[in-house]
Amino acid sequence: MTYARKVFDQMPDRNTALWNAMFRGYSQNECYWEVIVLFIQMNRAGALPNCFTFPIVLRSCGKVNATKEGEAVHCSVIKGGHKSNPFVATTLIDMYSASGCLGAAYKVFGEMLDRNVVAWTSMINAYISSHDMVSARRLFDLAPERDIILWNTMISGYIESGDMVASRLLFDKMPNRDIMSWNTMLCGYATNGDVESCEKLFKEMPERNVFSWNGLIGGYARNGCLSEVLESFKQMLIEANVLPNDATLVTVLSACSRLGAFDMGKWVHVYADSIGLTRNLFVGNALIDMYAKCGNIENAIDVFNTLDRKDIITWNTIINGLGIHGHAADALRLFDQMKNAGEKPDGVTFVGILAACAHMGLVKDGLSYFQSMMDCYSIVPQIEHYGCMVDLLGRAGLLDKAIDFVRKMPMKPDSVIWAALLGACRIYKNVELAELCLQQLIELEPNNPANFVVLSNIYKDLGRWRDVARLKVAIRDTGFRKLPGCSVIEVNDSVVEFYSLDERHPETEDIYRTLRGLTILLRSYGYVPNLAEIGRGT
């Protein structure tokens, strides 16, 4: 655009088509204020805008919420005699509605002589955007013509407002439903947490494309049905005649990382490579996250190094991954590379950096990085950053500094911060501070017995059995039980969960028989388990 503007400025005779070309160029490059400024210059130059000029300029005004400038352009529309042009009028409606001026938008709509279906859709969408579903439905019922886009707009409006009953009633009345209509309803059920209706509608669909499968898979992921994400993906590959896209793979890889399904994640990596998506930025970021969370930081680094383009998410994911796995030096080295590459760190970056310092006990460095957030990058520390600092000081045994840090926080500490401090008290046997932490946690999480257990373990370590008995009574009085430990393993491309003392699995007898055999085998090699820690959490 810089070169285009230089050529444009040197031209002695500039007609309206040339001005429009510049407007389009700026708009396509999202330089909306440049469009507005250039339009002012156009008026000063005495050039006459036409019906192709105004939509671009008005759309730019709407993008940057320049209501005052948009009203001035509206005056030019009226003076130029373009008021009756449906394309210009529709853009005016969109501009006013984007600025929240529904009255002005409806005035333009009411003055239109030729209101086509696009104008009706724009006005209805304006009401939907302002959450006025009553007015939107009133106009929808009055519309003389309704195309598929208008029907889908109205259905989407009900979905966004959370009224799935109204959206389904309208969907059932809709003539000539296309695949986009089915996908809209499918994603609506998924977004509003109705997984059962989402599954049912998916089975009813006469035709499915990649967005249909993404709607189902994304719905499972959004509602925590992670095993179903993997099963649906496998079903998609077997049944569908469409290829997964980058959105599909990102969702599946995210489920793999949350489940710890490493083998499945590796298979998805190979599959992504076979369809040419491993260099896709979004897939690459998801692969880094999956490998890091599944414990294979080496593969995460390999994927990071192969990406041609890296964004802030790429850097944050690898830095956080390195920090979690104790590679603090590498995390800090990559942080320097990130800055040298011209990528500005954000709050998420510093969570990873501070966590890395905490894991390595780098107190001085952690304090320095924490201060640099405000001094160098104007990032206001959030509660998660304060949590990292409390964890850092607590792990290093600086409990007095940690509690002083908590007391000086600009916001009220949450349960995560008090729990981190309580955990540090367990390591360093500081019973007085642990009792203070528990008092705070009882207020924040009165029904969480795990907090009582940590203090009980400290009492056990110090031989204060009377206090242990007292806490057991307190735990019982909460009426809640500590959640049992859970393990997740992959078996035959499926993820299986096992809970402590779980007898619900259909192959329970074989599992415990194998476990006893492994125990005997371990002991035959001289292994003696440390049972001191086991049972402390029961």
Side-chain angles (χ1 to χ4, degrees), residues 413-487:
D414 62 4
S415 59
V416 176
I417 289 178
W418 287 113
L421 199 53
L422 181 60
C425 293
R426 167 78 194 280
I427 297 170
Y428 294 100
K429 309 293 187 293
N430 190 323
V431 69
E432 291 80 10
L433 183 55
E435 288 171 342
L436 172 64
C437 293
L438 182 61
Q439 287 175 7
Q440 299 295 327
L441 285 166
I442 289 172
E443 291 182 12
L444 296 168
E445 298 178 332
N447 299 326
N448 186 358
N451 299 320
F452 291 90
V453 171
V454 178
L455 181 56
S456 175
N457 290 335
I458 298 175
Y459 286 143
K460 283 182 183 178
D461 293 337
L462 297 174
R464 292 171 54 170
W465 301 106
R466 187 171 295 176
D467 290 320
V468 171
R470 177 175 56 82
L471 274 187
K472 281 192 173 182
V473 173
I475 293 171
R476 186 187 63 199
D477 290 345
T478 64
F480 289 86
R481 297 183 62 187
K482 184 177 179 291
L483 292 175
C486 177
S487 299

Side-chain angles (χ1 to χ4, degrees), residues 485-499:
C486 177
S487 299
V488 180
I489 64 170
E490 285 181 275
V491 180
N492 298 327
D493 295 328
S494 295
V495 177
V496 183
E497 288 184 340
F498 294 93
Y499 287 90

Side-chain angles (χ1 to χ4, degrees), residues 297-438:
I297 195 65
E298 292 79 12
N299 281 15
I301 294 170
D302 289 341
V303 175
F304 174 81
N305 291 330
T306 59
L307 286 177
D308 299 322
R309 185 168 71 90
K310 300 175 179 70
D311 63 2
I312 184 68
I313 297 173
T314 317
W315 290 101
N316 287 347
T317 306
I318 193 66
I319 287 172
N320 276 272
L322 286 166
I324 289 169
H325 286 84
H327 299 278
D330 293 327
L332 300 180
R333 177 178 53 80
L334 272 180
F335 181 59
D336 290 333
Q337 286 185 20
M338 174 185 180
K339 293 184 289 185
N340 293 334
E343 192 71 61
K344 185 179 178 181
D346 61 7
V348 178
T349 316
F350 279 98
V351 169
I353 293 299
L354 295 175
C357 292
H359 280 85
M360 292 295 289
L362 304 175
V363 177
K364 188 176 179 180
D365 291 325
L367 290 167
S368 176
Y369 282 119
F370 182 79
Q371 190 62 39
S372 73
M373 287 177 60
M374 298 168 280
D375 296 344
C376 302
Y377 301 102
S378 300
I379 299 172
V380 178
Q382 302 300 310
I383 195 162
E384 53 267 26
H385 301 109
Y386 286 98
C388 288
M389 291 304 299
V390 172
D391 187 42
L392 169 65
L393 296 169
R395 284 172 182 261
L398 304 172
L399 297 181
D400 290 338
K401 287 187 177 181
I403 190 64
D404 187 55
F405 197 88
V406 169
R407 286 170 177 156
K408 291 179 180 178
M409 283 173 54
M411 72 281 290
K412 187 177 180 180
D414 62 4
S415 59
V416 176
I417 289 178
W418 287 113
L421 199 53
L422 181 60
C425 293
R426 167 78 194 280
I427 297 170
Y428 294 100
K429 309 293 187 293
N430 190 323
V431 69
E432 291 80 10
L433 183 55
E435 288 171 342
L436 172 64
C437 293
L438 182 61

Side-chain angles (χ1 to χ4, degrees), residues 55-104:
I56 302 172
V57 180
L58 289 167
R59 194 175 296 113
S60 298
C61 291
K63 289 286 185 181
V64 293
N65 201 23
T67 309
K68 186 177 178 181
E69 289 79 3
E71 289 172 344
V73 178
H74 190 177
C75 291
S76 298
V77 168
I78 296 170
K79 290 176 182 176
H82 299 285
K83 179 181 175 181
S84 60
N85 184 291
F87 189 30
V88 175
T90 301
T91 316
L92 271 168
I93 293 170
D94 292 337
M95 186 271 294
Y96 280 124
S97 65
S99 304
C101 303
L102 282 180

Side-chain angles (χ1 to χ4, degrees), residues 103-178:
Y106 189 74
K107 190 171 185 291
V108 173
F109 177 75
E111 291 173 351
M112 289 180 68
L113 299 176
D114 180 20
R115 286 179 289 203
N116 58 20
V117 69
V118 179
W120 283 88
T121 303
S122 292
M123 193 63 235
I124 289 169
N125 194 51
Y127 281 122
I128 290 172
S129 299
S130 64
H131 311 292
D132 186 355
M133 293 304 300
V134 174
S135 298
R137 183 56 187 265
R138 178 177 55 82
L139 272 189
F140 177 81
D141 291 337
L142 290 172
E145 180 189 358
R146 301 177 195 144
D147 62 4
I148 287 178
I149 295 174
L150 180 53
W151 279 91
N152 286 340
T153 299
M154 194 67 215
I155 291 170
S156 297
Y158 279 125
I159 290 170
E160 289 171 15
S161 68
D163 191 346
M164 290 306 300
V165 174
S167 64
R168 184 58 196 255
L169 288 172
L170 200 61
F171 176 77
D172 290 338
K173 292 178 183 177
M174 182 180 179
N176 305 319
R177 291 176 294 201
D178 63 356

